[in-house]
Structures are given as structure tokens and as C-alpha cells.
Amino acid sequence: MAIRDSVAATMQQFRAYAERARWDSLGALYSDRGDFRFYENGTLRYGSARDVRAALAALPPGMRIRTDYRDTEITPLAPGLAVASALFSSTFADEAGTQFGFEGAVSLLWVHEPEGWRILVGHSSAPVPRGG
């Protein structure tokens, strides 16, 4: 229960940092380990936490990201290791209003490092219409 609760609290921090455009704090929640990976829609999007931080730094001034999670499942795998999965809805907005939004699913492998919980591997995807 302790792992589940502490990962859930870190995910809430993640959400709050994005809503407040605290990109340095948000970027710190990604592991600097050499085996870090983050995939989007079946493609390796970020091969390092440094790549994620660069993408966050490149967001336009005033940009905020609001993400709502639902059906969140956090499963402890071992001491200091947990996987979280959820459906999400994200909206990117600046002072002028909503820029764009999308929904999908996310899975995150969280590892507990000396600084706290960090994302080691992640994947997010948006629904794709299927033929037939």
C-alpha cells in the first residue's frame, strides 16, 4: 500500500507541475539512467530524460498542460519499482485559451531513486480508428 500511495502522490505532483508550467520540476521526475525510454504511439520518442527536458523547455511561454487521469492502476512490482497505467485526457493551453488536446492511455515504470520516484520507461498512445 505504501508504494501505491507514494507513486500516486508523485503522479499528482507531476500533474500539478504541468498545470503550473514548472518544467524544471516536471523534468526532474524523469530518470537520468542510461536505460530511460519513452515511447509515443509505438515509436521511441525520447531516448533520454535530457530529451524530455529539452522538449519541455521548447514549449511556448505561458503554455500549460492539464492532464486528467482515470481508471488509474498502480502495481508494486518489487521494493522501489512500480508500474502505473491509466487513461488520460490532456489539454495544452496558454493565456489565450486552449491550443489543442488529446486522449489516450499511458503506462509508466516508476523506479525509486535517492531523490524519489522517477519515470524510467513510459508509453503513451492515442486511439487509432480500426478498419472493418
Side-chain angles (χ1 to χ4, degrees):
M1 190 62 111
I3 289 176
R4 191 173 286 116
D5 291 345
S6 61
V7 169
T10 303
M11 289 179 69
Q12 287 305 315
Q13 280 183 317
F14 185 96
R15 183 177 181 263
Y17 291 152
E19 283 189 47
R20 294 182 182 105
R22 294 186 53 197
W23 307 128
D24 289 343
S25 297
L26 183 68
L29 293 178
Y30 293 89
S31 178
D32 286 313
R33 286 178 34 167
D35 51 349
F36 174 90
R37 298 289 180 270
F38 201 100
Y39 299 87
E40 291 181 356
N41 293 322
T43 301
L44 177 61
R45 176 76 172 150
Y46 303 106
S48 70
R50 183 178 60 248
D51 295 341
V52 173
R53 293 179 192 124
L56 292 170
L59 290 171
M63 182 64 66
R64 305 273 192 268
I65 305 170
R66 178 179 173 84
T67 300
D68 294 310
Y69 298 105
R70 62 189 184 283
D71 301 331
T72 303
E73 295 285 336
I74 299 170
T75 306
L77 301 174
L81 192 64
V83 65
S85 60
L87 299 176
F88 71 89
S89 177
S90 291
T91 303
F92 289 65
D94 59 18
E95 287 84 14
T98 299
Q99 299 293 316
F100 67 95
F102 62 99
E103 296 182 344
V106 64
S107 57
L108 304 166
L109 180 63
W110 290 89
V111 60
H112 197 272
E113 298 181 351
E115 302 82 15
W117 289 102
R118 300 295 181 258
I119 297 167
L120 178 60
V121 178
H123 183 268
S124 66
S125 61
V128 176
R130 300 207 183 250

